[in-house]
Amino acid sequence: MKRDQFKYFRIEARELVDGMTQLLLEIERSGPAEGRVSTLLRLAHTLKGAARVVGLGAIAEDAHAIEDLLEPFRGGTVPLDQDAIEKVLFRLDAISAGVAGVSAPGSRPASSTDSPAVGEAFETVRVELGALDDLQEGLIESGIQLDGLRRHVSTIARLRSQLDSLGELAAHPAVQDLEVSLVALRQALDDGLERTAAALGDSREKANALRLVPASRVFSQLERAVRDAAESLGKRVAFETLGGSARLEGHVLQPMRDALLHMVRNAVDHGIEPEAERLVNGKPAEGQVHVSLVRKGSRLVFTCVDDGRGIDLEAVRQAALQRGEIGAADALSHDALIQLILRAGVSTTSAVTPFSGRGIGLDVVRETVAKLDGELTIQSSPGQGTTLSISVPLSLSSIPTLVVQAGESAAAIPLSAVRQALRIDASEISLTARGATVLHDGVELPFRALCEIVNQPAAFEPSSWSVIVVEAQSTRAAFGVDRIIGVAEVVLRPLPAAAGAIPLVAGASFDAEGHPQPILDPRSLVNAARMQPSPPKPTRRKPKVLVIDDSLTTRMLEQSILESAGYAVELATNAEEGLAMAQAQAYDLFLVDVEMPRMDGFAFLGRVRADAKLSRVPAVMVTSRNAPEDRLRGLEAGARAYLVKSEFHQGRFLRTIESLLREAHD
């Protein structure tokens, strides 16, 4: 059967049309709101681009017409009137009819009485990522429970052993029957547990796979977009991609696809010169656009490179000047001018074309970066070309790893960074002024025991080592491990955002029993191997911090961060318990949540400030409530600092505590 090239377009187009319709009806019902027209423009622009990718020109033209209708209302100075709403809805109806008329291969043409692809709408569904998270957590929890059942099976073996020790009674027929039954029961349980474990493992793999999409799925759309843009503009452009085999979450790939579509169209429209101009400048007649995806530690980096004319900084300056973004006397640097192009509506094209002219494309890129907590960098050289890179965190990605034992714990290292695994005698390790080294392929490499780097106690002093040679950024180092467990395909999960950057760790995965397992960052590993261990610091009394929070996750996270920074930490699960602990012993600082059962954080601070002894102890509120009135109430109640969990940053957190403790002791 012929492949249906419009399948995913129909799904996306319906979602975009539904979203725009809902926004228009909200404006009609309750009046304009900030950002709604900009959102409508972005959705129309995305729909136009998607239609052009699959060659549906009529739908693209209708979307383009919607952009024309909405553009005068973009700034918010003029409210979107009823006439414009009616005209946009009319165009959306035309688009819906066009989408319904795009039939799958082999199906009968849609008629006016048909509902739009009803069967397809139910055969292909989009699942909320939160629901998949819940499914995965349930499967992991089932694996943990299954592991507990395995331990109970050993009770049967112990009962049988006790029967054997009964001496003469063991010859009694009833006892023998009981022993036979226990053996059969254990065998049945073992078989059932193994089958269940295998089924659970298979289900977990399938659940993980539901979230992961190969990057190559969008590369063909990018190539089509480049082709269509080049053909429309009369340019010759070659398109290349790298990294399509990487699998990543759909909720990362979907917005990145939209951003990349705008990036490659901009590269063709703004960057690549006409053939005659390229030849005059000594360039090949055919321009080059290259899109790549690489993994760097715990982040994915999407890069779009063209060999065109580069960004016209003077045109950027003039466009920003006309929009009032800058003044005529403002002297801006090269980097500052490049950043201007990311502002809403700034475009270096004076005429509106099917591909550019309104600055919407870069709006999409900018919004995508913000949505994914990413970082955007732009490099441009006159006459040489432009490079746009978007770095986003890995939220979930399937990667092959080498799993090793380091002390009492197992850890995984991305297999792409492992150059060799070998066995060496301890006598082959040399001690130099730079530290321990081993000779590998005629090159002296720094050597460290992995358990030492990850702060795990060594099980013993080995006479020989299993060694892993790891490479990052063209630099290699060797690591001694207790045991090489094997190769495993794992799903990399990010650390909680509130944890900030933790040295050496790129993320975590779950092993077969559902236990968390760190995935080490190769670059941090190599850097750690090349550094001499720091000399021990003089011992001093550790400042004692009391953490009061009813959330287990928050308590454990704050305890981990504080203890790693050299603080002594004690935990309370509610404000009443925390108050009792504070009255019973001395603390240097309180970390207090706001929303807790019975007594909240505000009440706790009130009780503390009324106590002459406790009132001298600085308190920091760490809460999810970020309303200005909550912040003011916390500070008025006596908190010396107010930190919002959604804006949590490990470095700022530690600096705040250090500053308050220093003030308290001055």
Side-chain angles (χ1 to χ4, degrees):
M1 183 176 179
K2 187 178 179 181
R3 185 176 67 88
D4 180 5
Q5 62 175 322
F6 302 115
K7 177 179 180 180
Y8 295 104
F9 170 77
R10 287 193 294 271
I11 296 170
E12 181 181 26
R14 291 187 199 111
E15 289 184 351
L16 292 169
V17 169
D18 288 346
M20 295 177 71
T21 302
Q22 182 179 353
L23 280 172
L24 285 166
L25 296 177
E26 287 175 1
I27 293 173
E28 187 177 51
R29 182 170 59 252
S30 58
E34 184 179 356
R36 280 179 177 166
V37 173
S38 293
T39 302
L40 285 168
L41 274 165
R42 178 175 56 80
L43 295 176
H45 199 69
T46 299
L47 177 57
K48 179 179 72 173
R52 290 198 185 282
V53 165
V54 294
L56 298 176
I59 292 176
E61 289 304 317
D62 278 323
H64 189 71
I66 290 175
E67 289 182 316
D68 288 335
L69 287 166
L70 294 173
E71 180 62 27
F73 307 98
R74 178 180 192 167
T77 55
V78 179
L80 187 63
D81 56 41
Q82 188 62 38
D83 181 60
I85 290 174
E86 293 292 346
K87 289 178 179 178
V88 173
L89 288 172
F90 176 80
R91 289 286 183 174
L92 288 175
D93 289 341
I95 291 173
S96 294
V99 172
V102 179
S103 302
S107 65
R108 64 180 179 83
S111 69
S112 59
T113 59
D114 286 337
S115 298
V118 172
E120 178 185 51
F122 289 99
E123 289 173 5
T124 305
V125 298
R126 295 196 178 191
V127 181
E128 292 290 333
L129 290 177
L132 284 175
D133 285 338
D134 292 341
L135 171 62
Q136 288 178 315
E137 294 303 323
L139 291 170
I140 290 167
E141 179 62 28
S142 298
I144 294 172
Q145 298 298 328
L146 190 65
D147 189 45
L149 287 176
R150 282 199 183 96
R151 290 192 292 271
H152 289 308
V153 171
S154 61
T155 305
I156 298 175
R158 188 169 65 253
L159 289 173
R160 184 186 174 193
S161 176
Q162 291 173 349
L163 284 175
D164 289 340
S165 66
L166 290 178
E168 294 181 0
L169 286 176
H172 193 281
V175 175
Q176 291 177 342
D177 289 344
L178 179 57
E179 185 173 1
V180 170
S181 298
L182 285 174
V183 171
L185 176 60
R186 180 177 182 181
Q187 184 62 51
L189 283 173
D190 281 340
D191 292 345
L193 287 171
E194 289 305 316
R195 288 194 298 271
T196 304
L200 266 177
D202 183 58
S203 297
R204 279 171 56 188
E205 287 182 7
K206 290 176 179 176
N208 290 336
L210 286 175
R211 297 186 58 137
L212 300 177
V213 183
S216 59
R217 182 168 293 182
V218 305
F219 282 0
S220 60
Q221 299 175 43
L222 299 179
E223 184 172 11
R224 178 66 183 271
V226 169
R227 174 192 175 277
D228 290 351
E231 187 175 275
S232 175
L233 297 168
K235 299 179 179 180
R236 292 177 56 192
V237 183
F239 181 68
E240 294 181 354
T241 59
L242 176 69
S245 61
R247 294 176 63 84
L248 55 151
E249 278 190 345
H251 88 264
V252 173
L253 193 58
Q254 171 69 28
M256 280 307 307
R257 184 207 65 169
D258 297 340
L260 288 168
L261 281 169
H262 295 300
M263 288 161 68
V264 297
R265 290 190 187 113
N266 276 350
V268 176
D269 191 9
H270 294 286
I272 302 299
E273 312 94 327
E275 182 177 340
E277 182 180 337
R278 291 180 63 86
L279 292 174
V280 167
N281 292 326
K283 290 185 175 182
E286 187 175 62
Q288 299 285 328
V289 175
H290 180 85
V291 170
S292 65
L293 167 60
V294 297
R295 190 189 320 275
K296 292 186 178 179
S298 59
R299 301 182 74 83
L300 291 168
V301 181
F302 298 81
T303 303
C304 177
V305 181
D306 70 71
D307 70 342
R309 59 170 64 96
I311 296 175
D312 186 342
L313 296 181
E314 180 55 30
V316 172
R317 185 180 180 281
Q318 291 299 323
L321 187 62
Q322 290 173 9
R323 289 182 55 86
E325 302 283 349
I326 61 173
D330 291 343
L332 300 179
S333 66
H334 177 277
D335 291 341
L337 283 169
I338 284 181
Q339 289 304 312
L340 279 177
I341 205 168
L342 296 176
R343 297 191 182 180
V346 174
S347 175
T348 58
T349 302
S350 57
V352 174
T353 74
F355 302 98
S356 62
R358 296 191 176 95
I360 298 172
L362 284 176
D363 277 2
V364 175
V365 175
R366 179 171 48 81
E367 290 176 10
T368 298
V369 171
K371 177 182 178 182
L372 298 178
D373 190 23
E375 298 173 358
L376 172 63
T377 59
I378 303 177
Q379 297 175 325
S380 183
S381 300
Q384 301 299 313
T386 301
T387 299
L388 281 80
S389 291
I390 298 178
S391 169
V392 298
L394 268 171
S395 56
L396 186 69
S397 186
S398 175
I399 58 172
T401 63
L402 184 68
V403 184
V404 298
Q405 188 80 24
E408 298 176 356
S409 299
I413 302 171
L415 197 59
S416 60
V418 177
R419 293 296 166 260
Q420 192 173 358
L422 60 151
R423 190 79 182 174
I424 66 169
D425 192 87
S427 62
E428 297 178 58
I429 302 172
S430 302
L431 295 178
T432 70
R434 299 184 304 277
T437 63
V438 295
L439 199 63
H440 177 255
D441 289 344
V443 178
E444 199 175 58
L445 299 181
F447 173 86
R448 292 282 297 276
L450 189 59
C451 61
E452 174 190 340
I453 294 179
V454 298
N455 296 319
Q456 284 288 322
F460 54 89
E461 185 68 29
S463 58
S464 62
W465 286 92
S466 293
V467 173
I468 308 299
V469 178
V470 176
E471 181 175 354
Q473 295 182 314
S474 303
T475 304
R476 295 187 180 189
F479 301 90
V481 300
D482 296 289
R483 183 166 64 96
I484 297 175
I485 297 174
V487 175
E489 186 86 11
V490 303
V491 174
L492 188 150
R493 290 173 172 269
L495 299 172
I502 296 180
L504 301 178
V505 179
S509 66
F510 289 95
D511 63 17
E513 284 73 41
H515 303 137
Q517 178 176 278
I519 298 176
L520 304 180
D521 177 39
R523 181 169 55 180
S524 299
L525 275 179
V526 171
N527 289 339
R530 302 183 71 85
M531 294 171 58
Q532 286 288 338
S534 302
K537 297 180 180 179
T539 59
R540 61 180 178 88
R541 186 185 77 83
K542 293 182 177 181
K544 186 183 289 187
V545 178
L546 176 60
V547 174
I548 307 170
D549 201 301
D550 62 337
S551 165
L552 173 63
T553 300
T554 302
R555 292 197 305 273
M556 294 299 102
L557 173 64
E558 292 179 358
Q559 181 182 29
S560 173
I561 293 172
L562 289 168
E563 288 182 342
S564 297
Y567 295 96
V569 181
E570 293 188 2
L571 306 174
T573 59
N574 55 62
E576 293 95 331
E577 181 185 2
L579 186 61
M581 293 172 67
Q583 292 169 338
Q585 55 186 304
Y587 293 95
D588 296 285
L589 184 134
F590 301 135
L591 284 176
V592 190
D593 186 22
V594 170
E595 295 179 284
M596 292 182 284
R598 297 187 296 277
M599 181 190 295
D600 64 14
F602 299 127
F604 172 85
L605 286 184
R607 297 284 294 275
V608 165
R609 295 301 163 236
D611 187 305
K613 182 179 68 173
L614 298 180
S615 62
R616 295 191 297 270
V617 180
V620 177
M621 279 193 154
V622 183
T623 174
S624 58
R625 294 168 65 165
N626 62 354
E629 56 269 24
D630 291 324
R631 186 183 299 270
L632 179 61
R633 184 182 174 191
L635 296 176
E636 289 177 342
R640 299 290 299 280
Y642 192 98
L643 304 179
V644 180
K645 292 179 180 178
S646 62
E647 302 169 357
F648 190 95
H649 184 277
Q650 180 177 331
R652 190 181 308 117
F653 173 69
L654 291 174
R655 286 193 297 272
T656 300
I657 291 173
E658 182 181 352
S659 174
L660 290 176
L661 289 174
R662 187 166 54 247
E663 290 176 10
H665 289 101
D666 285 345

